[in-house]
Amino acid sequence: MDYVKAFLVGGAICFVIQIFMDKTKWMPGRIMVGLVVSGTILGALGLYQPFLDWAGAGAAVPLLGFGNTLWKGVMEGIGEKGFLGVFTGGLTASAAGITGALVFGYLASLFFQPKMKE
């Protein structure tokens, strides 16, 4: 049942964002930044963690979850290192995800022929 819930919640988030992309003239980069910032704000307000606990991977994998992970990392970094944690905490918390994206993106480029968009 956890897989079904994750699929439905993640799909619903993607569905809403796709409608937003189709109905507005915002560029995808701005929408992605907006999702990360929204996840950070929802995490700061304490609203994202209960949603994450309920939805599991369906809420953790989209960019909203990345913003929440950054927020939690910054808060842990501040607790451990003080003001310096503002700069190091988010990257420490999200290092595995960022590294995975870079490594798998590189591996995909080895197997497929990447082209510049014209």
Side-chain angles (χ1 to χ4, degrees):
M1 193 62 183
D2 288 340
Y3 294 118
V4 173
K5 189 188 306 184
F7 176 78
L8 292 175
V9 170
I13 291 171
C14 293
F15 177 75
V16 169
I17 298 307
Q18 185 63 49
I19 290 173
F20 188 77
M21 289 175 69
D22 291 343
K23 299 295 181 186
T24 67
K25 295 192 183 290
W26 282 29
M27 300 298 290
R30 288 185 181 196
I31 292 172
M32 291 183 346
V33 169
L35 287 169
V36 173
V37 170
S38 298
T40 304
I41 291 170
L42 290 172
L45 295 175
L47 300 174
Y48 203 79
Q49 190 60 46
F51 177 60
L52 182 63
D53 293 339
W54 176 77
V61 173
L63 285 173
L64 289 167
F66 181 68
N68 185 52
T69 300
L70 290 174
W71 169 254
K72 289 193 295 189
V74 167
M75 293 310 295
E76 289 175 11
I78 290 172
E80 294 173 4
K81 299 178 183 176
F83 184 70
L84 187 60
V86 172
F87 303 106
T88 62
L91 290 175
T92 302
S94 61
I98 293 170
T99 303
L102 291 172
V103 168
F104 289 117
Y106 176 72
L107 290 175
S109 74
L110 292 177
F111 292 108
F112 302 100
Q113 297 296 323
K115 297 178 186 134
M116 294 298 292
K117 203 172 189 180
E118 295 178 16

